[in-house]
Every structure is written in C-alpha cells, then in structure tokens.
Amino acid sequence: MANDARTNVSKDLSQERQKRMIAEHFSKLARAPDEGRACAYTFVPGNLTELLNSFDVLPVLPEINALQSGMRGKSRDYIGLAEKLGHSEDVCTYVKCDLGMLKSGNIGPTGERLPDPNLLLLSYTGCFTFLKWFEILGQEYDCPVVMLHVPYQGDGKITNSMRKYVVDQLRNKVIPQLEEISGQPYDEDRLKEMLARSAQAEDDLVYVLESAKNKPSPIDAYFGGVYYIGPIFTAFRGTQDAVEYYRELRAEVEERVKLGKGPITPEGEMEEEKYRVVVEGPPNWTSFRQFWKMFSDEGAVVVASSYTKVGGVYDDGFRHDPSRPLESLADYCMGCYTNLNLPSRVDMLVRYVEDYQADGFLINSVKSCNSFSAGQLMILREVENRTGRPGGFVESDLVDPRYFSASNIKNRLESYFQMIDQKRERGRKSGQGD
Amino acid sequence: MEERMSTSASCLEGHAALVAEAEALWKDYSLTSVREWKKESGGIAIGYMPVYVPRELLWAQNALPVGILGGGDDLEIIRGDAYYQSYICHIPRSTIELGLNGSLDCLDGVLFPATCDVIRNLSGMWKMQFPDKLVRYLDVPQDFDPAMGGAFYRHELQEITESLPGIGGRSYDEDALRTAIQVYNESRQAVADLYDLRRREPWKIPTHELYVLLRAGMVLPPEEHTTMLRAYETAVSDDESRRPMDQARVLITGSFCEQPPLGLIKTLERAGCYIVDDDFVQVHRWIVGDIPVDGDPLGNLVTAYLENSIESPIRYIDDGVKGQGLVERVEHYGAEGVLFCAPSFCDPALLDQPMAVKAVEDAGIPWTAFKYSENSGQFQVIREQAGTFADSIKLWSGE
Ligand code: SF4
Ligand code: SF4
C-alpha cells in the first residue's frame, strides 16, 4: 500500500513478499495493453478484487497511486496542475493528485506508465467524492463506467433491501460489463475459490491487528498497519500470494509476541512503550515518516486505528463467504468503515480504546476528506465522554504538503502526551489515597 | 390554518406585503408558524435537509415538511463551530446551532437525504444529539433502473411511511398520498409559472423577491404557499411600474444546498444581472412536471425520481452527457452567461464545476465563478466581478 518507511531494519519475509507482489502487479499492468489484458480502475472501499480477478481483469486503484505520489514527493506538482486546470482548492486532493498524474503521463509508482482503463468500476462506497471522481475520469477516457451504488448504513445496519440492491447491481450491471471487457463468462466457482482464500487471509490479518492487545504491542496498528492492510485492501485479496503474505506476517508477529518485542518504527525497534493510543482518520502521506517519528520518539504506539478498516472491517467477525459469493461481496462493501454511520463509528472506537487498553484517543483530521472528517469533533467528545480517556486532535491533509505543519502537529502531540501523563499521575495519586 | 392564511392574505397589499410576510416566515428561525400549525392541526412536523425529499409522502400522513436550509447570515454561531473544522462548509454548523439552541424543538423528526458526506454524517450526529427524535438518512438511488434503484428507493420510502405513525403521524393511505401528490403538483406548477414569468419578464420578478417566497415554502403548508405564490404572481403581473432595464441575463448554478445570503442575490442584481434561472431552494423544482395521481402513488413518486429529476451534481450522470442539462437550461431561459456560484468547501458543487464549465465553454457560453458562505457579509469583490461580467455580456451581445 505504501512505500516503505521502515528503512533501518532488516526486512522481514512478509515485507519482501509484499514488495515483490506490488512490483509484479505494476509490471503486469505495464504489459497489459500489449498482452490484450483488460484493466479496471476502481476504489479501495468496496473494491471487488476477487470478482475482477475471477475475470482476469487487473485492478488499478487511483487512491493508492495518489498516496504513492504523496510519498514520492510528486503530489504537490500534480495537485498544482489540477488546480491550474480549474479544480478547486477546496476539494479532495486525491482526486487532484490523480488528475495531475494523468495529465503528466500517468506514470505509476514504479516508473512505468499505467494502462488506460477498459472500465471505470465506480464502486460508490462510503464516499461521495468517488462519484464525481469517476465522472471526471469518464470524460478523460473512452471506456464504459459502471456504477455500483452501495447504500450507506444510515441506521447502523444492513437490511435485506440494501443487500438485494447491491447484489442485483452486481448481477445485472457489473458482471455483464466484466464479461464484456474480458471476453470471459462469469465463473462463480472460480470466484468462490478466491473468496475462500480471502477469508483465510482475513483470519490472519485479524490476528495481526488484534496482536496489539498485547503489552507491549508487537505492531503499530496505524503507521505499521498501513503496510499490513496493503495486499488485502488492493489488488491481492483472494490470491494465493495474499494468503501466504498474511501467513508469514502472522508468524512474524507471533514471534514478536513470544519475545515480548515492541513494534518496528522508522528508527528500528521501539524500546519502551510509553503510550498506547487509538487513532481515527487517514494518515498524512507527504510527511508520513516524520509524522510516525513524532509518535515513536515519544514512545507512543498506535494500538488500533479506523483507517485500517476503510477497505474492510474484519475484526467484527465478517469474512468473505464462498457459500454466498455475491451476498458476501455486498456485505463487505456495505461494511467498510466510512460506510458506517457515526454512532457505529463511535461504538467501534470506544470498543478499541477499551479492548486495547489505550491511554487515549487521537484524531488526525484530514482536510480532503469530508467522509471521514465531518463529525469528527463530535466523535472526539463522545469517545472521551464514554471512555473517560483523553482525546487529541491534529489536522493535516492526505497528499497536499501545504497542509502539513510539522511544528504545529508536533506541539499538539507533545501536549497531548503530557495530558496523558498528568491523567496517569492523578490516577496514581487518587489510587494511593484509597 | 387556512383561516390564518386567508386572514393575513386579505390584509396584504400587493407584492411588497407578500414578500414581507414571506421574509418574516423565513427569518423566524424558531418556527413559530410550524408550532402554530401543529397546535391547530394536530399534525407532526418533519424537517428535511437539502436537496430533495419527497414531501408528498410526509404531507399525506399529516406531517408538515419543514425545510432546514441553515441559519444564513442572521444566526450567531455560538456552539456550531465547535462541531466542525474550518474546512467544512457552513450549513451544518448553523444547522447544529439551530438544533442546540432549541429552534428546531418543534420538529418531531428530521430527514437527511443523500446529498453529500457532510449531510450524511450530520444524520449520525443528529442521532447522537437528539436520541428521542426520528432521524432518518434517506438514501436515494444512483442506479436508475426501476427494478434495482427503483425497488430500493421504494423500500426506503416505505420505511419512512412506516416510521411516521409511531411519532404521531397518520397511517399510510394511498388516497391521501394521491391527494398530497396533487397538492404538490400545484405547488410545483406555481413555482414553475413564476420561473417562467421571470424568464419572459425578469424585471417583473426580481430574484431577491422570488427567493424569499421560495423560502416561505420551507415552513408553510403547501396549499398556503401556493396561494401566496399565485397572489404574488398576480400582483407583479399587474405592476406596470416594473419596467425593463439594461441588464445581462444570467443563470446561477451551484447553490443547491447551502444558500447564498440574500445580500449576495441583491448584489448580483445591482451589479447589472437579471437572474433568469437558478438552483436555489431546489426542492421545489427537483421533479420536473406533474407526478401522475392515478395508479400506484408510491410507484409514481419512485418513477418521478428516477425519470423526471433535474440534472444535478449530486445525481450520477449515468448515460447522460455531463453539463448538457445546464446548457439546455441556458438556452431555455435565454441566459447570456453562467455564474458558477457555489458555497466554499462544497464538494458536490465544486467537483462538478470543471465538467460543467467545459460543457458551457464548448457551447460558447460566457461564464464566471465565485464562492460564498451562507454568512458572507462582504460582497464588494463579487459585485465588481459580476458587474464586469454583466458589462462584458452586454457589450458582447450588442456587437
Ligand atoms: S473524500 Fe476521502 S474517502 Fe473520498 S476519495 Fe477523498 S480521501 Fe478518499
Ligand atoms: S454545501 Fe455542499 S458540502 Fe456542504 S452540506 Fe451542502 S452539499 Fe454538502
């Protein structure tokens, strides 16, 4: 998912595998036009990777390209170019970054040109901007756009009517379109095999994420977490590679738990876990390493995060289910984090603070993303009230470096960690008094 | 309620008085008229956010639909800013303010249609803040196939009908819905007639008046509002003192949710623009034409949504051509230029704008763009920009 910021440590097997998987995927994409292989652009939340793969259609995820551009220092120029072309400074920078990249030759993160899409699969899940993004791309490419409208969980639940609506669209719009662009008929058995592999990998991913309940936590579930979710959130869910990646990752994490080790950070292994926090909101990508370091330098570990649930929530028990292939794809889409209503998001975060024994809760509010950000200040107060643990709030952006003020964020984080200290101190004193 | 309206209507003298009455209704953020209506009728009141909800459904169950379009430039935001970051538009913070200061207490529930992520998330905030009220997110389909999007939407509407009796509304009744559809057909027609008159004789209907009348429709029962609009239409048609001026005919787009302050509309008119079409208070014009009264009324509401909605940034374009609806409106309304006038930080409007601009440019239509907030107080820059734009149009059309 992200370029690797964990540079000072020897690479784990899983890490090597992920690199290889990504490199191979991009090289397949580069060869796709020559080999006559179809590709579909689509989004991370509500992605239909198994379905695409079952037609041998290659997924391209513009959000991932945008975040990669952010990490590689390209996003400033891309965003600038899009704004010059008339896109407002107010809107999501992923869109502008993607457009800027497209207008600059569509060179992907590995330096190879990305193929034009044969299909824009508009999985409209949890974010209004997606709809506009692919309307915009629809004007740039001569290819069909297929809309998969994924209803929002306004009442905090998935109803039969919602499920039926999504399944009907899959059956009557998405699948016929994939048959058309791939020249292959829908093969449900193949899809089922892939879904079974998805579930296997999802089990291991959940183990990894929940390993952070240990003290010390063997992982950082936000900065480290974005690497762990990479394969399953993108082009690899349902592949054997993903199964193996998660098996290896799990074994590595099990080993760390056994040895009582903390997480790996940009500076190597964390020696002492001083603060355990839950984080809501996406990270900043342009200063990812620096942002992470602001936590790790203080001995702060993120033990759970909502961002690692944008491409699927699995720690509530959901698994892709080969016995009900399209229904489970529908449930997957509707269950992604930003498709949950605010009370459900609060419930999840409260549960994280409690289950992961966090000292506090922190929001990184990104300017780009109304889907995440609108309502976060209320979330902050609710989680604080319900858990009694301190909440913190910092602001940045995803890929627009103009909105990452390092000194400001650092100050806020430092005061936040001091607040946790004070609270502990008070707790200790009142404990002594008892 | 009829009585109240007819009594007050009989006291009205001409359009100025009507506009004054409409403005008083709009600016009464504590919704006195809604409270009175509830007391007199024994009905309930259901608020709704922009852009579109099928008000017929509510009215059929004795629920007065009450449009919540933010607090404009009148409301001092005391607590609302603590709920939103600076980079989020203004309407949700004034709406929360109205909720927290008790203005909306008389509402028995609020519908939050699927307009954008801000309104969507506000639905969850409302649930947390007002747990005793009916709060519903109304997911409107982005698939327009009757068997898929249509079936889903029908189910959404059914759920609304089922939720109303529990809070004091009447049970769903097909005939009552037919009657309500007829009532709103008349309302839509009255609005359409005013827009048409403005198209033909924009000097007769200044937009700052029309706008105020549309706002009154957010709180008035539909029949009363239609009566008001018709009375205004007669009054302005008869007013021979309103004579044409040398103004540029412009169409405004982008203001479908957070509303521009009235001062902004006046500023544009003073800067030399006749606004001949707009998307203000768009719930009145979302459905184009009449909805059939015969047959299955719920099905008719669904079909109207799928097939007869206007082109909008919040509605997926599907097989349509982006911006074509806008260009057609420019032609139909005889506009000489387009003002892209969107609220700051409004994702749907601003993400849509470059595509709409392209369509307008391809059609050779002049345009300009600016942003506002519902509580903007300074219009000097916009005034100059609109003035220059109007002048250039007049110059151009004079050539
Ligand atoms: S608004 Fe948020 S969820 Fe939507 S594309 Fe932008 S970053 Fe992603
Ligand atoms: S003004 Fe725009 S962004 Fe704000 S609530 Fe309305 S539609 Fe959403």
Side-chain angles (χ1 to χ4, degrees):
Chain A
M1 186 139 183
N3 281 344
D4 218 311
R6 299 167 295 180
T7 44
N8 294 356
V9 288
S10 63
K11 300 250 186 301
D12 287 325
L13 262 183
S14 63
Q15 233 173 312
E16 294 293 353
R17 181 183 292 277
Q18 181 170 164
K19 279 195 139 193
R20 206 168 58 239
M21 285 158 69
I22 293 172
E24 275 169 19
H25 182 68
F26 278 100
S27 118
K28 273 190 212 160
L29 284 172
R31 296 196 309 270
D34 290 338
E35 294 176 358
R37 194 157 172 197
C39 75
Y41 286 20
T42 195
F43 296 109
V44 170
N47 71 71
L48 302 170
T49 302
E50 300 89 344
L51 191 64
L52 294 178
N53 283 339
S54 78
F55 285 96
D56 293 315
V57 171
L58 292 167
V60 174
L61 297 136
E63 295 147 288
I64 304 294
N65 298 334
L67 78 84
Q68 292 277 6
S69 299
M71 290 186 109
R72 290 182 302 132
K74 305 258 187 200
S75 54
R76 182 193 295 269
D77 289 347
Y78 289 160
I79 292 166
L81 179 56
E83 288 180 357
K84 229 182 264 160
L85 293 170
H87 293 270
S88 166
E89 69 264 30
D90 290 357
V91 302
C92 173
T93 51
Y94 269 4
V95 181
K96 288 182 286 185
C97 186
D98 183 45
L99 280 171
M101 184 175 108
L102 164 62
K103 297 288 179 192
S104 314
N106 223 17
I107 306 301
T110 51
E112 290 159 301
R113 192 180 183 284
L114 290 170
D116 287 353
N118 301 89
L119 176 69
L120 294 168
L121 172 52
L122 202 183
S123 173
Y124 176 51
T125 303
C127 165
F128 180 84
T129 298
F130 290 156
L131 191 157
K132 307 313 293 180
W133 192 339
F134 272 15
E135 279 183 350
I136 295 169
L137 285 196
Q139 295 198 325
E140 300 289 336
Y141 294 112
D142 183 21
C143 76
V145 188
V146 65
M147 150 66 83
L148 173 69
H149 176 201
V150 174
Y152 180 65
Q153 289 199 40
D155 276 338
K157 59 178 192 277
I158 297 173
T159 64
N160 287 336
S161 157
M162 291 158 73
R163 184 177 297 115
K164 181 174 178 320
Y165 179 35
V166 179
V167 170
D168 284 351
Q169 293 175 83
L170 289 173
R171 220 187 285 285
N172 300 318
K173 287 200 303 193
V174 177
I175 289 177
Q177 196 69 67
L178 288 169
E179 289 181 323
E180 174 97 23
I181 62 157
S182 68
Q184 294 183 25
Y186 173 51
D187 180 347
E188 191 154 287
D189 289 335
R190 194 167 177 215
L191 175 64
K192 286 177 176 174
E193 283 166 24
M194 291 179 177
L195 294 173
R197 285 198 288 269
S198 300
Q200 245 179 296
E202 287 155 7
D203 280 343
D204 287 334
L205 170 68
V206 170
Y207 170 85
V208 170
L209 295 175
E210 293 189 338
S211 72
K213 289 180 182 168
N214 287 287
K215 286 189 177 177
S217 167
I219 62 161
D220 183 289
Y222 184 54
F223 298 106
V226 300
Y227 299 102
Y228 308 145
I229 56 174
I232 214 155
F233 277 18
T234 61
F236 308 102
R237 205 179 59 222
T239 65
Q240 192 54 36
D241 261 341
V243 171
E244 273 152 35
Y245 168 79
Y246 285 101
R247 190 185 299 140
E248 283 165 9
L249 179 64
R250 176 182 180 144
E252 288 156 12
V253 172
E254 276 172 340
E255 183 65 13
R256 299 189 74 76
V257 174
K258 207 159 76 197
L259 299 174
K261 287 188 170 178
I264 295 170
T265 74
E267 307 292 296
E269 206 160 281
M270 184 182 279
E271 298 292 329
E272 191 196 346
E273 176 185 283
K274 289 202 201 124
Y275 309 101
R276 296 167 66 84
V277 290
V278 169
V279 172
E280 143 80 12
N284 162 275
W285 299 111
T286 48
S287 303
F288 183 80
R289 191 186 156 92
Q290 191 184 5
F291 193 26
W292 188 354
K293 224 169 142 308
M294 290 179 194
F295 284 71
S296 58
D297 283 353
E298 298 282 338
V301 181
V302 182
V303 287
S305 67
S306 54
Y307 184 69
T308 50
K309 314 295 165 357
V310 282
V313 174
Y314 299 108
D315 53 355
D316 63 354
F318 170 80
R319 295 288 179 274
H320 283 87
D321 179 358
S323 71
R324 38 196 291 283
L326 298 185
E327 289 76 8
S328 96
L329 280 174
D331 286 359
Y332 154 74
C333 292
M334 289 186 284
C336 289
Y337 180 71
T338 47
N339 206 52
L340 307 180
N341 72 1
L342 257 69
S344 306
R345 282 171 62 182
V346 168
D347 287 346
M348 179 191 269
L349 293 163
V350 166
R351 206 169 58 237
Y352 284 167
V353 171
E354 283 162 358
D355 291 357
Y356 288 78
Q357 298 181 54
D359 299 299
F361 166 70
L362 196 74
I363 292 178
N364 179 40
S365 178
V366 296
K367 173 183 175 288
S368 273
C369 185
N370 281 349
S371 177
F372 255 106
S373 304
Q376 274 176 331
L377 287 163
M378 188 166 184
I379 291 180
L380 180 73
R381 283 195 290 277
E382 285 286 318
V383 176
E384 265 187 328
N385 286 344
R386 281 171 57 182
T387 62
R389 284 171 236 177
F393 199 83
V394 295
E395 289 180 296
S396 64
D397 188 49
L398 297 159
V399 289
D400 192 336
R402 293 172 295 187
Y403 296 98
F404 187 86
S405 161
S407 54
N408 199 310
I409 293 174
K410 196 167 185 333
N411 283 342
R412 283 207 184 196
L413 286 176
E414 281 170 3
S415 347
Y416 176 67
F417 295 128
Q418 276 167 16
M419 196 156 82
I420 294 180
D421 284 337
Q422 285 158 5
K423 190 149 177 122
R424 274 188 191 147
E425 187 61 20
R426 278 200 302 273
R428 217 167 39 84
K429 281 191 183 139
S430 65
Q432 279 168 355
D434 283 342
Chain B
M1 150 260 303
E2 277 299 330
E3 204 183 323
R4 185 176 59 78
M5 182 62 197
S6 53
T7 320
S8 52
S10 66
C11 305
L12 295 173
E13 288 171 350
H15 43 71
L18 281 163
V19 172
E21 163 152 359
E23 185 157 0
L25 283 164
W26 158 26
K27 300 277 171 155
D28 177 10
Y29 290 104
S30 63
L31 302 177
T32 312
S33 68
V34 174
R35 288 168 211 265
E36 281 171 10
W37 179 84
K38 280 181 70 171
K39 217 185 309 164
E40 287 164 20
S41 68
I44 57 171
I46 301 290
Y48 61 91
M49 293 288 294
V51 178
Y52 170 76
V53 301
R55 295 174 294 175
E56 295 84 346
L57 210 60
L58 304 174
W59 191 234
Q61 291 181 245
N62 205 24
L64 178 67
V66 179
I68 306 173
L69 269 65
D73 54 357
D74 304 301
L75 187 71
E76 193 190 349
I77 305 294
I78 297 163
R79 285 180 282 178
D81 282 337
Y83 283 76
Y84 285 101
Q85 301 89 320
S86 56
Y87 51 78
I88 289 176
C89 59
H90 203 270
I91 183 172
R93 63 192 80 220
S94 62
T95 302
I96 277 276
E97 187 74 35
L98 290 169
L100 294 175
N101 73 15
S103 297
L104 307 179
D105 282 357
C106 67
L107 301 181
D108 300 280
V110 181
L111 301 182
F112 295 84
T115 298
C116 71
D117 295 337
V118 173
I119 290 183
R120 185 196 71 176
N121 287 7
L122 184 56
S123 72
M125 296 168 72
W126 217 262
K127 270 182 193 290
M128 293 192 281
Q129 194 72 46
F130 305 103
D132 301 330
K133 301 276 185 173
L134 174 77
V135 179
R136 260 201 80 89
Y137 177 70
L138 171 63
D139 216 345
V140 294
Q142 298 289 0
D143 171 280
F144 307 115
D145 183 325
M148 296 192 283
F152 168 73
Y153 186 48
R154 187 183 179 102
H155 194 270
E156 286 283 295
L157 298 189
Q158 266 163 352
E159 286 194 346
I160 293 177
T161 65
E162 285 158 16
S163 63
L164 297 178
I167 54 165
R170 288 197 196 120
S171 301
Y172 174 70
D173 174 79
E174 281 203 346
D175 281 333
L177 182 54
R178 287 192 188 99
T179 307
I181 289 176
Q182 183 56 33
V183 164
Y184 276 99
N185 281 344
E186 283 160 21
S187 156
R188 270 185 289 273
Q189 192 56 52
V191 172
D193 287 348
L194 284 177
Y195 271 74
D196 199 47
L197 177 56
R198 188 182 62 170
R199 175 180 69 82
R200 285 181 275 118
E201 298 174 282
W203 49 92
K204 292 264 185 188
I205 302 194
T207 298
H208 66 266
E209 289 187 4
L210 175 60
Y211 178 77
V212 168
L213 289 159
L214 296 179
R215 286 300 292 258
M218 298 297 91
V219 292
L220 279 179
E223 296 97 330
E224 286 187 38
H225 186 233
T226 303
T227 306
M228 178 184 259
L229 296 183
R230 290 297 183 198
Y232 174 80
E233 187 186 355
T234 309
V236 288
S237 302
D238 294 346
D239 185 351
E240 291 304 323
S241 69
R242 293 191 163 179
R243 308 295 307 158
M245 291 189 297
D246 185 23
Q247 305 254 88
R249 296 172 64 97
V250 300
L251 177 150
I252 286 193
T253 185
S255 321
F256 48 86
C257 179
E258 179 173 320
Q259 299 292 291
L262 194 59
L264 173 54
I265 297 174
K266 288 182 179 166
T267 298
L268 297 175
E269 294 185 310
R270 282 193 206 117
C273 298
Y274 277 140
I275 299 168
V276 291
D277 192 19
D278 59 65
D279 47 17
F280 305 145
V281 203
Q282 208 173 22
V283 67
H284 292 304
R285 298 173 77 214
W286 183 272
I287 301 290
V288 181
D290 279 355
I291 300 179
V293 174
D294 298 337
D296 165 22
L298 199 60
N300 294 345
L301 280 185
V302 171
T303 308
Y305 185 83
L306 298 178
E307 295 175 6
N308 294 329
S309 295
I310 48 155
E311 180 188 287
S312 163
I314 63 164
R315 198 176 140 89
Y316 177 54
I317 191 70
D318 205 13
D319 293 335
V321 178
K322 198 75 209 168
Q324 191 183 327
L326 181 61
V327 171
E328 282 166 8
R329 276 170 51 205
V330 169
E331 284 162 10
H332 177 77
Y333 284 92
E336 299 163 292
V338 173
L339 299 181
F340 288 94
C341 173
S344 294
F345 305 109
C346 176
D347 278 356
L350 294 169
L351 284 160
D352 199 75
Q353 195 167 299
M355 294 183 279
V357 162
K358 183 175 178 309
V360 161
E361 273 183 353
D362 288 350
I365 301 161
W367 62 276
T368 189
F370 49 82
K371 291 187 292 188
Y372 64 88
S373 157
E374 62 176 0
N375 66 341
S376 302
Q378 295 293 326
F379 307 117
Q380 189 52 32
V381 176
I382 292 179
R383 188 191 172 109
E384 279 165 23
Q385 191 180 341
T388 310
F389 185 66
D391 289 346
S392 71
I393 284 179
K394 283 184 279 181
L395 210 64
W396 189 68
S397 60
E399 273 172 5

